[in-house]
Amino acid sequence: MSNEALGPPPTTGPLDNPLRTGLRLGRTPEPCTMVIFGASGDLTSRKLVPALYNLARERRLPAGFSVLGFARRAWDDNAFREVLHAAVTANSRSGPAEPDLWASFAEGIFYHRASFDEPAGYTTLGARLAAIDSERDTGGNRVFYLATPPEAYAEIVAQLGAHGLNRSSNGGWTRIIIEKPFGHDLESARALNRQVLAVFDEQQVYRIDHYLGKETVQNLLVFRFANGIFEPVWNRRYVDHVQLTVAESIGVEDRGGYYDRAGALRDMIQNHLTQLLTLTAMEPPVAYDPDAVRDEKVKVLRAIRPISPAEALTATVRGQYGPGSISGHPVGGYRAERAVASTSQTETYVALRLFIENWRWAGVPFYLRSGKALPRRVSEIAVQFRSAPTMLFADTPVNAIEPNVLAIKIQPDEGISLTFGSKVPGQAQIRPVSMDFRYGTSFGVASPEAYERLLLDCMLGDGTLFTRRDEVEASWALLTPILQGWAAAEPLPFPNYEAGTWGPAAADAFMARDGRAWRRL
Ligand code: BG6
């Protein structure tokens, strides 16, 4: 067939790009009730209810939207409303609750006192939901939110199934949001998936990773696939390596009990950094819809060269912070944190190198690092390009001409900057300069909290920004051998970095062995 027979090449316009189905902003969900298991917990007060309140404030919630808190605490509706009022006042990005708005929001807040493992509590839950449906016209639409310790997930799911609450009786929809951690290794993640999918269909399940709700993370897809100039250089021909960093200056705060069993690999790499990696490396999806996007992310995970338990010690670096100081304040060591073992071998810092063995990325290392008690809170994705092929300016008096770096700043100071070499005026010198885009300057509006977007998407039935079953299992399949390799190895001489420094010396040596260095942030 000749080219003419095929007709002219397709034009590329807004209707032809992979995001053609839109970013789905501005829609309002159908009325529904959100049942929060673990309603007396920290997540409910710090994130969930402030996010819901801000959605209400921006008129993004449907009329009749209701919250039903489920917990053991001896509260009633009014006591729960007061707790949530204080929580919004303390934690909302828009400041203290506004009296009129709060009054109408609070009319839809209810409390159900019950234990997760008592069947009777689920029978009465069904009755309360039916009553809310008829009082507030919520049409039998429900979101169950598991904000409990993960040990309770399987029990709650089984009870919901046993009481027929996995399907709405009067024609509405039922969805379930599951907080992280989703399993603690491959086997437990698979077991949890089996338990959940014995009761709910995959389309009903929303495994949350709040990094996907961050504006800067969503913008990765827009940046890559709504602009023509970056994609041609986004591959092994032009990219030398990629560094993904999520650095935190906080320690483990009051979460020592959870953290000491988790560690940085499970707490940050398995979920948040893996998400950043897949969005950076994935191929353009055929559509902006939940399965097309997630298919491409899973393909990246499947293409990563596995790290065996035996390779775990050379392909990764672990650290644990000791006493030090951050921003001039003295900080105790990790082992002195509450609920942390005094001989703990848990890593609070981890760095690793991955290779994605596909046509786009073969041979390009992706370095991931995340740690607590580091000097600054800063997260970014830095794509470092290969140097120019010939050094025309090799005699210019600089140590080395720095390679071009495209840095996508996830937080804080959200933005994107491109660094390149420029001639210093009036001098025979080259110095790196940058072109900067800053959200604050360009848009002048505060970004919504990640949970706002994600809660809304779930109510809209859009799972694009949630983790699918195969995705979570692929990520655990990659990391579980590393955990096994560590567990079998000799204990490390922890602590091995001072709080307020950029991690263990071994992390620098790890990069130096590849002839590279971590970016100074
Ligand atoms: C959570 C981890 O998932 O993410 C915490 O459990 C971590 O340990 C937090 O502090 C970081 O989130 P953010 O949005 O502050 O970067």
Side-chain angles (χ1 to χ4, degrees):
M1 198 191 292
S2 73
N3 276 349
E4 280 91 304
L6 290 172
T11 54
T12 47
L15 294 177
D16 298 300
N17 77 47
L19 302 172
R20 61 181 173 264
T21 45
L23 294 171
R24 297 199 181 79
L25 297 176
R27 287 200 281 148
T28 305
E30 293 172 304
C32 61
T33 303
M34 184 172 289
V35 180
I36 304 179
F37 291 93
S40 57
D42 190 51
L43 184 73
T44 306
S45 296
R46 261 187 331 111
K47 296 287 181 190
L48 304 184
V49 174
L52 291 170
Y53 169 79
N54 280 309
L55 287 173
R57 193 166 168 273
E58 289 175 6
R59 305 194 191 289
R60 307 295 294 275
L61 290 181
F65 173 79
S66 307
V67 173
L68 178 58
F70 185 119
R72 265 184 301 242
R73 207 71 68 87
W75 290 337
D76 58 12
D77 292 348
N78 279 331
F80 187 47
R81 288 172 185 161
E82 275 168 33
V83 169
L84 297 190
H85 181 260
V88 167
T89 298
N91 301 313
S92 158
R93 69 179 168 91
S94 58
E98 293 161 26
D100 290 349
L101 176 63
W102 178 260
S104 80
F105 184 67
E107 277 174 21
I109 296 178
F110 306 95
Y111 184 75
H112 185 65
R113 183 183 178 196
S115 297
F116 304 138
D117 54 358
E118 270 177 27
Y122 293 83
T123 310
T124 43
L125 173 66
R128 284 215 69 181
L129 283 171
I132 294 173
D133 278 344
S134 66
E135 267 167 44
R136 297 184 51 84
D137 243 346
T138 41
N141 298 324
R142 278 131 210 203
V143 177
F144 294 112
Y145 199 118
L146 303 191
T148 64
E151 302 77 58
Y153 295 169
E155 174 74 29
I156 296 170
V157 167
Q159 293 283 359
L160 289 172
H163 291 82
L165 291 166
N166 51 337
R167 309 260 180 268
S168 197
S169 45
N170 37 0
W173 44 257
T174 299
R175 300 179 186 135
I176 183 163
I177 304 183
I178 305 180
E179 257 299 330
K180 69 171 275 262
F182 195 95
H184 55 92
D185 57 12
L186 177 58
E187 203 186 318
S188 57
R190 280 191 179 143
L192 183 57
N193 270 328
R194 276 196 302 273
Q195 284 152 341
V196 170
L197 296 172
V199 174
F200 294 95
D201 299 332
E202 177 64 32
Q203 286 71 18
Q204 294 178 282
V205 182
Y206 291 73
R207 297 172 194 79
I208 207 162
D209 183 317
H210 78 278
Y211 265 57
L212 289 175
K214 290 182 191 276
E215 282 288 337
T216 40
V217 176
Q218 292 167 45
N219 194 35
L220 263 169
L221 292 186
V222 175
F223 177 77
R224 288 191 55 201
F225 302 131
N227 294 294
I229 66 165
F230 304 112
E231 209 45 30
V233 295
W234 211 257
N235 56 53
R236 62 193 301 273
R237 219 168 140 199
Y238 297 99
V239 175
D240 177 73
H241 74 279
V242 180
Q243 293 188 23
L244 296 109
T245 303
V246 176
E248 295 186 280
S249 53
I250 53 168
V252 294
E253 302 188 298
D254 51 0
R255 299 160 71 229
Y258 149 75
Y259 195 89
D260 209 33
R261 282 177 282 124
L265 192 80
R266 290 185 172 99
D267 187 50
M268 299 297 289
I269 305 285
Q270 185 274 327
N271 34 67
H272 309 324
L273 276 97
T274 301
Q275 292 295 343
L276 299 182
L277 171 72
T278 53
L279 292 172
T280 306
M282 69 191 257
E283 296 301 316
V286 292
Y288 191 68
D289 73 37
D291 279 323
V293 171
R294 296 184 294 184
D295 285 347
E296 295 306 333
K297 288 164 67 191
V298 171
K299 282 190 211 161
V300 173
L301 293 174
R302 295 219 174 108
I304 295 176
R305 184 194 300 165
I307 295 174
S308 68
E311 290 162 334
L313 298 188
T314 49
T316 68
V317 176
R318 282 171 290 163
Q320 186 192 79
Y321 63 88
S325 86
I326 300 176
S327 310
H329 300 290
V331 174
Y334 173 69
R335 289 178 174 183
E337 301 274 7
R338 197 146 40 87
V340 168
S342 60
T343 55
S344 172
Q345 275 289 310
T346 299
E347 80 289 356
T348 60
Y349 175 99
V350 67
L352 67 156
R353 186 187 62 185
L354 298 172
F355 286 99
I356 301 170
E357 294 189 320
N358 61 16
W359 279 48
R360 186 189 284 265
W361 294 120
V364 178
F366 284 73
Y367 298 97
L368 280 59
R369 63 174 163 164
S370 181
K372 294 209 181 271
L374 301 183
R376 289 184 56 207
R377 175 177 189 250
V378 52
S379 302
E380 66 152 42
I381 299 165
V383 179
Q384 182 166 320
F385 292 91
R386 290 178 190 272
S387 301
T390 56
M391 269 307 157
L392 197 57
F393 305 109
D395 295 336
T396 309
V398 283
N399 295 339
I401 297 176
E402 293 187 16
N404 301 128
V405 177
L406 183 93
I408 300 172
K409 305 195 173 164
I410 306 293
Q411 62 190 21
D413 305 329
E414 292 82 355
I416 297 177
S417 77
L418 178 67
T419 313
F420 55 95
S422 176
K423 182 179 174 307
V424 181
Q427 294 179 32
Q429 271 200 24
I430 298 177
R431 200 175 290 160
V433 293
S434 69
M435 286 198 294
D436 281 315
F437 149 66
R438 302 221 166 277
Y439 280 79
T441 321
S442 297
F443 296 115
V445 289
S447 293
E449 284 274 334
Y451 277 94
E452 295 174 33
R453 169 67 193 251
L454 296 175
L455 294 177
L456 197 63
D457 275 8
C458 173
M459 291 184 238
L460 288 165
D462 183 349
T464 313
L465 300 177
F466 293 83
T467 317
R468 205 168 59 186
R469 174 195 194 155
D470 49 351
E471 195 178 348
V472 77
E473 291 184 8
S475 145
W476 278 120
L478 185 72
L479 300 179
T480 302
I482 298 178
L483 291 166
Q484 289 164 344
W486 289 354
E490 293 289 309
L492 286 178
F494 280 164
N496 62 353
Y497 71 96
E498 261 178 48
T501 64
W502 283 103
D508 293 331
F510 177 76
M511 281 298 248
R513 277 201 295 278
D514 285 0
R516 301 192 172 94
W518 293 110
R519 275 167 56 77
R520 293 232 290 271
L521 301 174

